[in-house]
Amino acid sequence: MSWHPQYRSSKFRHVFGKPASKENCYDSVPITRSVHDNHFCAVNPHFIAVVTECAGGGAFLVIPLHQTGKLDPHYPKVCGHRGNVLDVKWNPFDDFEIASCSEDATIKIWSIPNQLLTRNLTTCKKELVGHVRRVGLVEWHPTAANILFSAGYDYKVMIWNLDTKESVITSPVRTITCHQDVILSMSFNTNGSLLATTCKDRKIRVIDPRAGTILQEASYKGHRASKVLFLGNLKKLMSTGTSRWNNRQVALWDQDDLSVPLMEEDLDGSSGVLFPFYDADTSMLYLVGKGDGNIRYYEVSTNKPHLSYLTEYRSYNPQKGIGVMPKRGLDVSSCEIFRFYKLITTKSLIEPISMIVPRRSESYQEDIYPPTAGAQPSLMAQEWLSGMNREPILVSLRPGSELLSPRPLPEERPVFNSVAPASPLLLNQAEKLAAEDGWRPSSLPEKTPRWSGEHRPEEKRSWLTNGFDVFECPPPKTENELLQMYYRQQEEIRRLRELLTQREVQAKQLELEIKNLRMASEQL
């Protein structure tokens, strides 16, 4: 950056990127050769989806997260599009549902089985037909269930309500027609009431998605934006693009005034697109360059200079695309605050990269894991379309925690699993509270891991411990795997002992308080 304070206190100044070992990567993956500037990868705590090459149509792979190592050349694909797949996105409220869009001008919604795919999946759950040219982007609404946005090369953004019984939906509930060229990126604010887009005309627009009207439009000529991102609740936008001299550049904007950027900074002279990712929990911004192996990261603040450069993860292997794990799928025991999945086409490899905060303590670090958005919608589709806005339902990432803001679900709401695991003792307490308060059972934490996306009563439930499924994962095959499992179990035992000690101290403190209150009452 142009100016750095000499001393700056920050708990994230020593964050470092840790690539996964060779046995924990995904090898021999036929990654797409498409030249589109998309991520080509989507990740959730169960699966990783990667757009792949396929003769005679479009396809993508859905690989279970624990299935690392070399991929079978005949591994089943999800294929049903007649043209190349351009984008895939997991449903944030259902880990077994994914949307894909293609050059055949359709969007398909797929239901992924809980067990491994044994053959090609060709039958989709729903098909959305409305665009007249190829569809380049899909995005799920961040708070409303069953609301999907799509952007096509017909310069239109379409809003789809999937909460219907129809298998083929031919008319969107809204169509936004204010763009004059191809849409390059879309981003929502925290509650999904605003949509920011960048277009091939290099303009940034802030749109009211339900009305389809432009609230703000950037006509600044010094920065040609290609990607845009809302920065949480800061009421600011971050865009990446090029300067007048074709240098890669980042710019920060006030979402209520896009006339002039608050700051702009040239990075380098490379030609690849910069993908921005923002972590609202830690106020950290990551810039991933397409075609190079670098990941820069910064801290964002409301005060000048707004962006504080931390450091850069460097690698010789260039990335074609990138996937990001949701916060509820991170390993909190190792102080992991972000995880990328890097697509390396030159090696047909997918490499996980964990961003780690170095801490000596093995206990849960409350300061780097504030309450985060969970996997439960705060609105139904019809509620959002009628004009309601709600913030995301927050959860704690602490092992054994419950929903921080549980809300009784309406009768017509489909059943979703809760987003945090709970111990049997906590479950019994929650059931008692539910009986007293009149909650519906579906709003209580269930005995499933916090990353469960869909309630499947007919299937055996799994229980994940430190990312290890004790029921479905295969037993260790090598001495190294056995040692890793042993260390994970030892870490869990240590954490449980610390938790037990804390509970004992709290119980003693309560006993002393009760004793003091009794003595005070006797004296009175």
Side-chain angles (χ1 to χ4, degrees):
M1 304 302 293
S2 57
W3 177 80
H4 297 286
Q6 189 173 2
Y7 298 104
R8 189 177 58 85
S9 175
S10 170
K11 66 185 77 169
F12 302 111
R13 64 184 303 176
H14 299 299
V15 170
F16 65 95
K18 181 181 179 182
S21 57
K22 181 71 173 178
E23 59 266 19
N24 290 322
C25 295
Y26 305 84
D27 202 357
S28 303
V29 181
I31 302 166
T32 180
R33 303 285 177 176
S34 174
V35 296
H36 282 270
D37 292 327
N38 286 345
H39 297 160
F40 298 123
C41 180
V43 187
N44 69 22
H46 269 123
F47 301 106
I48 175 169
V50 187
V51 180
T52 185
E53 294 292 325
C54 181
F60 60 96
L61 298 167
V62 175
I63 307 170
L65 211 64
H66 62 79
Q67 190 175 326
T68 54
K70 282 198 172 184
L71 192 71
D72 186 349
H74 303 291
Y75 189 83
K77 299 180 177 66
V78 180
C79 48
H81 287 286
R82 297 183 301 276
N84 292 330
V85 174
L86 300 182
D87 197 14
V88 289
K89 292 287 168 57
W90 289 104
N91 187 338
F93 311 121
D94 186 348
D95 285 346
F96 297 88
E97 187 170 274
I98 188 169
S100 63
C101 62
S102 167
E103 291 181 348
D104 62 8
T106 65
I107 304 109
K108 293 181 186 288
I109 312 298
W110 307 87
S111 184
I112 306 300
N114 194 10
Q115 63 275 14
L116 299 180
L117 288 174
T118 56
R119 58 182 180 179
N120 288 350
L121 182 61
T122 57
T123 305
C124 63
K125 182 179 177 182
K126 290 184 185 295
E127 183 175 7
L128 315 179
V129 182
H131 289 280
V132 295
R133 297 183 65 186
R134 56 186 172 182
V135 186
L137 295 169
V138 287
E139 289 286 348
W140 294 90
H141 194 275
T143 59
N146 296 316
I147 293 290
L148 183 72
F149 283 62
S150 63
Y153 277 62
D154 52 5
Y155 313 158
K156 294 177 182 178
V157 175
M158 294 186 178
I159 307 173
W160 306 87
N161 180 7
L162 307 182
D163 195 12
T164 62
K165 294 181 180 179
E166 302 171 7
S167 58
V168 179
I169 304 174
T170 56
S171 57
V173 291
R174 299 281 189 280
T175 302
I176 301 171
T177 58
C178 59
H179 297 89
Q180 305 300 318
D181 212 324
V182 176
I183 297 132
L184 300 177
S185 71
M186 297 189 291
S187 176
F188 291 98
N189 64 344
T190 305
N191 62 10
S193 60
L194 297 176
L195 174 70
T197 63
T198 53
C199 188
K200 206 170 181 179
D201 58 11
R202 303 301 185 182
K203 290 184 179 180
I204 301 172
R205 295 174 175 87
V206 177
I207 300 167
D208 181 347
R210 282 169 291 213
T213 56
I214 299 176
L215 303 179
Q216 288 288 328
E217 182 174 297
S219 56
Y220 182 72
K221 301 295 183 183
H223 175 79
R224 293 172 291 179
S226 59
K227 302 291 179 184
V228 68
L229 194 66
F230 268 103
L231 298 181
N233 288 321
L234 299 181
K235 293 190 175 181
K236 289 179 174 56
L237 295 169
M238 175 61 64
S239 66
T240 62
T242 55
S243 67
R244 291 178 178 176
W245 312 108
N246 284 332
N247 291 323
R248 289 202 295 193
Q249 189 181 63
V250 293
L252 185 72
W253 309 79
D254 182 349
Q255 74 177 34
D256 298 322
D257 182 12
L258 298 183
S259 57
V260 178
L262 299 174
M263 59 80 61
E264 53 184 338
E265 189 73 30
D266 287 1
L267 298 180
D268 54 38
S270 300
S271 58
V273 171
L274 282 171
F275 297 119
F277 298 94
Y278 180 66
D279 182 4
D281 299 338
T282 59
S283 298
M284 286 182 65
L285 174 74
Y286 301 87
L287 299 178
V288 181
K290 181 182 177 182
D292 59 58
N294 304 334
I295 301 175
R296 299 174 175 89
Y297 38 104
Y298 307 79
E299 270 192 287
V300 183
S301 65
T302 54
N303 303 321
K304 290 184 178 180
H306 300 297
L307 277 188
S308 300
Y309 176 76
L310 292 174
T311 186
E312 182 175 1
Y313 169 81
R314 292 177 176 270
S315 170
Y316 292 109
N317 298 316
Q319 54 245 1
K320 169 79 173 182
I322 203 87
V324 174
M325 172 66 75
K327 294 301 286 282
R328 56 197 172 89
L330 299 180
D331 181 11
V332 297
S333 65
S334 63
C335 296
E336 183 184 34
I337 58 170
F338 218 73
R339 190 191 303 164
F340 294 99
Y341 286 80
K342 176 178 173 178
L343 307 186
I344 307 172
T345 51
T346 55
K347 294 186 174 182
S348 299
L349 187 74
I350 303 174
E351 180 184 45
I353 301 171
S354 298
M355 311 308 293
I356 306 291
V357 179
R359 294 282 175 95
R360 290 183 179 178
S361 174
E362 296 178 352
S363 60
Y364 178 74
Q365 304 295 307
E366 195 80 45
D367 59 326
I368 62 174
Y369 295 113
T372 188
Q376 190 177 43
S378 53
L379 285 169
M380 292 300 294
Q382 205 54 48
E383 291 176 332
W384 182 79
L385 291 171
S386 64
M388 293 178 64
N389 292 317
R390 283 203 190 102
E391 294 299 316
I393 294 178
L394 300 181
V395 297
S396 171
L397 296 181
R398 179 187 289 275
S401 61
E402 302 178 28
L403 281 173
L404 296 181
S405 52
R407 188 172 63 88
L409 306 181
E411 292 296 328
E412 67 273 13
R413 184 190 290 273
V415 178
F416 291 89
N417 272 358
S418 63
V419 291
S423 65
L425 287 174
L426 289 174
L427 282 167
N428 293 336
Q429 293 174 4
E431 288 169 3
K432 291 177 183 176
L433 288 172
E436 294 171 3
D437 296 343
W439 290 359
R440 288 184 59 215
S442 60
S443 64
L444 292 173
E446 300 179 7
K447 297 179 182 179
T448 53
R450 67 170 177 269
W451 41 78
S452 294
E454 185 176 353
H455 182 61
R456 299 170 184 266
E458 73 278 4
E459 295 173 0
K460 179 180 69 175
R461 292 177 178 175
S462 63
W463 188 273
L464 281 93
T465 304
N466 288 331
F468 180 77
D469 192 331
V470 296
F471 293 115
E472 294 185 1
C473 281
K477 298 177 182 177
T478 64
E479 185 178 353
N480 188 26
E481 291 180 1
L482 184 63
L483 282 172
Q484 287 179 358
M485 187 189 303
Y486 171 75
Y487 291 142
R488 281 199 293 262
Q489 290 174 349
Q490 291 299 312
E491 288 174 7
E492 185 180 6
I493 290 169
R494 280 197 294 271
R495 283 204 310 273
L496 290 173
R497 282 176 178 166
E498 288 180 1
L499 186 62
L500 183 61
T501 305
Q502 292 173 5
R503 295 293 166 83
E504 288 176 353
V505 171
Q506 291 173 0
K508 288 180 180 178
Q509 289 175 347
L510 288 172
E511 287 176 1
L512 286 173
E513 288 178 7
I514 292 170
K515 189 176 180 180
N516 292 336
L517 287 172
R518 284 177 179 172
M519 292 175 64
S521 61
E522 288 174 1
Q523 289 175 359
L524 292 174

